[in-house]
Amino acid sequence: MKFANDFLFGAATASYQIEGAWNEDGKGVTNWDEFSKIPGKTFENTNGDVAVDHYHRYKEDIALMAEMGLESYRFSISWARIYPEGTGKINQQGIDFYNNIIDECLKYGIVPFITLYHWDLPLTLEKAGGWLNKTTAQAFVQYASTCFKAFGDRVKHFITFNETVVFCGHGYLEGAHPPGIQNDPKKYFQATHNVFYAHALAVLAYKELNLFGEIGLSNVFAPAFAIDEQQDNIFAANHANQYQLNWYYDPVLLGRYPEYVIERLEQQGYLPDWTLEELAIIKKAAPFNDFMGLNYYQPVRVEKLTGPVQSVELTRENATGRPGKPSFDHVYRSVMMDDKRYTKWGWEISPDGFVDGLDMLKQQYGQIKLYITENGLGDEDPIIDGDVRDTPRIEYISEHLSAVKQAIQHGVHIKGYFAWSAIDLLSWLNGYKKQYGFIYVDHNDNLARKKKDSFHWYHGIIQSRGQDL
Ligand code: BGP
């Protein structure tokens, strides 16, 4: 089977991880500009001040993407370039920058796929309460509408938010992302609700403009599976899916929150403060949401917790993907299993979990339109005689594209695949050591770009529309 001609082969990046130029051309300061400079927060105290300098090298980077045959490029807009203070006055230089990126993509026939929020929040808004403050939702709609009007003539695919579970979870439970708060479930659930509300408002605002494009949201896709057939563990997996999956998919796709979670949050006193009007907006927007973006890296293997819970020290590793932590409510924990494969950072490699998860999603939500908006291998790539030999990445993407193929054959409606990432970039907490790109960036040689083995391989896959996978 070949992938259909309208299936998009793409790759993704995010503003903070790639652009640099953190204080240039009128850009405001963001939560990440501040947070990454607190000693010990990131690996080797790396930050995005320069990142891989895409801000100045975007022409070279997009030319390479075109050479690779990329059909679509998913990138994010830094809110603080458009509104340095989050709201108020627009910074024209920010609009110009993204217009240049879009036009450069279109020059090569690359479809621009825009994420509006990939975690870099203008610091002024963070200081005013960030996602706990409902005015942030209003500010987001203003910012989003400005982007729709400025770019919507040429951009036909908008993602409102990237991975709500991550920036809220890391922000209010693990304290690993800004605002760095630990163990505060009440705040965590409140922030998620404010984000769903902002998403719904943005969807409605977009549809009012009649721009004839599509809008959706990108969620983490980490389906939970029980480690064995035991009833307790099966219960734990269902519980995990309710909190980690349905809580994030239901409001966007169905316009309501899962009853199972609501009941428990009510008992525990963690129910967000929401108004009937906000719930009505979420409901109204759901039918207008055009697609769901899935960021799949790994499934979760879960085990029911019994007896007293041993507290696990939060490390950068287990806060960012390595299994081992108990859930916030101490119902289950994620585990590593002897018969599974893992990356150097302890993330499970499971194309089968991908197919099973996609089948489960179809069962629950029907044939909704999906894009795989992230998938890829974080690795330390070997350089042999000057060439970047990233064979494990080729294997990883090959296996996962085959999984996508299988799912399509099962009737799952997937319209595109975006590898993470187009080019090596800054990993939020893991610096430059953890690489994901098809294009290597040499930090010892003025950030020179170099094509990896996977660059040529992906080119071939796109050319043949994945026929040989
Ligand atoms: C996703 C984020 C990306 C990217 C990726 C890899 O959660 O959307 O921005 O960072 O994960 O994560 P990491 O860099 O931690 O390996």
Side-chain angles (χ1 to χ4, degrees), residues 13-14 17 74 118-119 162-163 166 220 295 297 320 345 347 374 378 420 425-431 434 436:
T13 65
Q17 299 179 275
R74 173 186 175 222
H118 202 126
W119 310 348
N162 182 68
E163 300 187 348
V166 173
V220 164
N295 294 354
Y297 290 90
T320 57
W345 276 263
W347 293 22
E374 283 182 33
W420 184 267
L425 36 69
L426 174 69
S427 166
W428 299 92
L429 301 180
N430 292 294
K434 195 178 187 187
Y436 281 94

Side-chain angles (χ1 to χ4, degrees), residues 116 144 148 156-160 199 202-207 213-217 288-292:
L116 291 168
F148 299 150
K156 297 299 166 192
H157 311 269
F158 286 97
I159 294 166
T160 53
H199 163 80
V203 166
L204 295 173
Y206 182 66
K207 293 297 162 176
E214 54 175 13
I215 186 161
L217 175 146
F288 298 102
N289 182 83
D290 297 301
F291 64 87
M292 181 63 84

